Amino acid sequence: MSQQSPRTTERQHSLCAVQAGYDRSTRADAFVLPTLQEAFGKELDRYEIIGDKIIQPNAVGMRLRLPDAERGGWPEDVFLKQVLATDYVGARKDWSDLRRTLLYARTELRFYRDILPMMNKKGFHATPKAYYAQYDFDGWIEENEHATRPADEGVEKDNLPDASEKGGWLVLECISADTHMQDSPLSMDRAKQCLEAAAKLHASAWEDGELLRKASDELSRAAFNLQMRNPKELAGIEDAWDTFCSNFKADLEANSLRSDRVQNLGKRLKAVAEQVSREVTPSPDAKYATIIHGDYKAMNVMLGIAISTPTIMIDMASASAGLGMSDVAMHIHHAVNPEDLAMEDVAMHIHHAVNPEDLDNGGEEELVEHYLQTLRDLGCEYPHDVAWRHYKLCVIDYSRFFVSRMWKTATPDTMEQKKSNKNIANINRSVPSAMRFVKVVDKYLGEI
């Protein structure tokens, strides 16, 4: 069944990293005017695309200027985000991967339509507003089909209904580059802003059984959650790790990472993957359960150019019930040069959002403690020992995804080619960062 929200509101960005070299034929333009008219009425009869389309792996976005805004009662600029099935039928070789892309779109639309209004009532306003939200995957994905249900391996893409009208659409308010920015890495103060926003998100749903049951029923899981991944990834993790070890043999040796423990890292991750996933995927009624962003990298946060301007999260396609530390672990383990990190025992090795010169002398611990203190100030009880165990588990969970998915084809040359792409994890574009991450994962596996 086609689903459409009332004209609730959400905010989205005119700033985003365009994936260089990503080429996809798209029928996007054919849906623009009909979608705008659904959002604002038939009186709107034209639009102008401002700048380049934003092509991402699981969506296409564009900033649109709407004429006669004052007369028509609509905003001058909007951001249209859409996922068209026709864009992915050829690019996604098997049904599991194609289905996951479509489920990301459904999750984001349901989050804005059904979950966010409940969170707004509890004081959470760090997301954009949506003018219009609709999806139609009828005949492809049943409306009551949960995102975590394994894909039916018997589905043949060629036998599915016509893909030409299948997709999901969001009409979003643009956030001006005059007021907000995206960047990676970030200063300590900016990283703290990101973690404060995460804490506010988590606090708004903290141990709220009714809200979390609804989220669990309607949404998905974090982008790297085991339940959302193609089973082939975990099945092949040992081979993926062996390939990584072969490709980075000299770097591993130079960093004293040739022990049997490290050589067997893929096997160790595979052995604990199911257990770790269960622990970081709480039931709706579990202690410390909340709603998480699920893909909380620096480029998914719009920071006010002025410190006083509210922080805004974007790209909610992986929003789900979970542990808040999943967001913290991903945000922390995504983009900082390891040679600039302090080597304390606590191993808070910031890999996503912080300028490395800020991380010495306990800077990493300071960030995580800032997140925890913000939670406490918002009335959430999270014992220190429990929080740190959750953090380590979430790092291991993230590493399982990274080894099995991102590192299976990684080489020093591919990392060199990606080194300037801020939207890519630093552990996938910096050999020293990757080596440091291996050390962290080896350590945490020995501590859980």
Side-chain angles (χ1 to χ4, degrees):
M1 174 187 286
S2 177
Q3 297 294 316
Q4 176 179 330
S5 74
R7 292 182 187 176
T8 54
T9 53
E10 181 214 277
R11 191 169 294 178
Q12 181 51 298
H13 52 101
S14 57
L15 300 169
C16 186
V18 178
Q19 216 177 11
Y22 195 92
D23 183 21
R24 182 195 309 144
S25 61
T26 178
R27 298 174 57 246
D29 293 352
F31 291 90
V32 174
L33 187 57
T35 300
L36 293 174
Q37 289 177 336
E38 287 291 328
F40 302 113
K42 298 295 184 182
E43 297 82 5
L44 179 60
D45 59 4
R46 62 192 186 280
Y47 63 90
E48 178 186 0
I49 297 178
I50 305 299
D52 295 329
K53 292 176 184 176
I54 296 169
I55 309 298
Q56 294 182 312
N58 294 302
V60 174
M62 62 193 80
R63 180 183 176 187
L64 306 175
R65 179 145 301 156
L66 310 183
D68 303 322
E70 185 174 351
R71 177 185 61 81
W74 46 71
E76 181 178 357
D77 290 348
V78 297
F79 189 89
L80 173 64
K81 183 176 182 179
Q82 58 184 0
V83 176
L84 306 181
T86 50
D87 285 348
Y88 302 97
V89 171
R92 302 293 188 263
K93 293 183 179 180
D94 63 45
W95 170 237
S96 178
D97 289 336
L98 173 59
R99 175 178 175 269
R100 185 170 61 249
T101 292
L102 304 182
L103 287 171
Y104 283 144
R106 190 182 75 171
T107 290
E108 187 164 30
L109 287 152
R110 286 179 169 184
F111 173 81
Y112 291 128
R113 183 192 67 198
D114 300 333
I115 306 301
L116 184 58
M118 298 174 70
M119 299 173 74
N120 290 156
K121 291 178 180 178
K122 300 183 69 175
F124 177 70
H125 300 286
T127 55
K129 303 178 192 179
Y131 294 111
Y132 178 79
Q134 179 184 13
Y135 63 86
D136 180 1
F137 299 127
D138 189 29
W140 286 55
I141 300 173
E142 297 301 322
E143 185 61 16
N144 63 354
E145 183 176 335
H146 199 275
T148 59
R149 183 191 304 175
D152 184 349
E153 295 182 0
V155 170
E156 294 289 342
K157 292 189 297 181
D158 293 341
N159 295 333
L160 292 168
D162 182 12
S164 62
E165 301 299 321
K166 303 302 178 186
W169 298 267
L170 281 173
V171 179
L172 312 163
E173 181 183 2
C174 281
I175 296 176
S176 173
D178 293 333
T179 60
H180 286 79
M181 51 81 72
Q182 293 165 288
D183 201 9
S184 176
L186 302 173
S187 68
M188 285 287 285
D189 286 342
R190 290 301 196 178
K192 287 179 180 179
Q193 282 184 278
C194 292
L195 293 174
E196 287 169 9
K200 290 174 182 177
L201 169 71
H202 303 156
S204 69
W206 193 260
E207 298 180 352
D208 184 334
E210 179 183 0
L211 175 56
L212 292 170
R213 282 189 290 274
K214 187 172 184 64
S216 294
D217 288 342
E218 294 198 14
L219 303 183
S220 184
R221 295 293 184 196
F224 53 89
N225 188 282
L226 184 60
Q227 292 179 310
M228 292 304 298
R229 305 311 306 171
N230 190 323
K232 295 177 182 178
E233 292 179 5
L234 184 59
I237 193 171
E238 292 181 69
D239 288 341
W241 178 246
D242 289 344
T243 299
F244 182 89
C245 288
S246 176
N247 291 340
F248 291 87
K249 180 179 179 180
D251 300 289
L252 290 165
E253 289 178 348
N255 286 274
S256 302
L257 290 170
R258 296 296 291 175
S259 67
D260 289 344
R261 289 194 327 274
V262 172
Q263 292 299 299
N264 289 320
L265 194 70
K267 182 178 182 179
R268 293 163 68 199
L269 285 171
K270 187 174 185 179
V272 301
E274 297 284 354
Q275 170 206 333
V276 169
S277 183
R278 284 193 295 271
E279 289 200 54
V280 303
T281 311
S283 69
D285 296 310
K287 286 184 70 63
Y288 318 117
T290 188
I291 288 176
I292 64 174
H293 181 283
D295 191 19
Y296 202 54
K297 55 190 177 184
M299 297 300 286
N300 279 343
V301 185
M302 303 291 292
L303 290 162
I305 293 173
I307 293 292
S308 59
T309 301
T311 301
I312 297 173
M313 297 179 179
I314 59 174
D315 292 348
M316 306 301 295
S318 298
S320 66
L323 288 179
M325 279 298 181
S326 289
D327 283 340
V328 177
M330 181 174 184
H331 194 73
I332 286 175
H333 286 268
H334 206 273
V336 171
N337 295 318
E339 62 269 20
D340 296 307
L341 296 173
M343 299 291 288
E344 293 102 356
D345 290 339
V346 178
M348 297 280 102
H349 309 301
I350 309 298
H351 293 279
H352 186 288
V354 184
N355 285 319
E357 61 268 22
D358 292 321
L359 298 177
D360 290 325
N361 302 317
E364 305 94 331
E365 185 172 7
E366 178 184 344
L367 284 173
V368 176
E369 291 298 334
H370 184 79
Y371 164 79
L372 291 173
Q373 186 59 53
T374 304
L375 271 182
R376 296 186 194 105
D377 292 344
L378 293 167
C380 301
E381 181 183 348
Y382 205 1
H384 196 266
D385 59 337
V386 175
W388 278 107
R389 174 171 170 78
H390 286 171
Y391 176 76
K392 292 176 181 180
L393 289 169
C394 289
V395 170
I396 291 169
D397 193 46
Y398 186 52
S399 72
R400 178 266 312 152
F401 158 73
F402 229 90
V403 171
S404 64
R405 174 67 174 176
M406 299 299 184
W407 278 356
K408 65 180 180 181
T409 58
T411 68
D413 286 342
T414 63
M415 290 195 179
E416 175 67 20
Q417 293 164 11
K418 297 173 182 177
K419 68 179 181 180
S420 299
N421 191 330
K422 294 182 179 182
N423 215 31
I424 292 178
N426 208 46
I427 55 176
N428 207 29
R429 59 188 173 110
S430 163
V431 173
S433 293
M435 296 302 105
R436 177 60 175 240
F437 191 56
V438 172
K439 292 179 182 179
V440 172
V441 174
D442 176 40
K443 176 175 169 36
Y444 287 176
L445 280 168
E447 292 177 349
I448 63 169

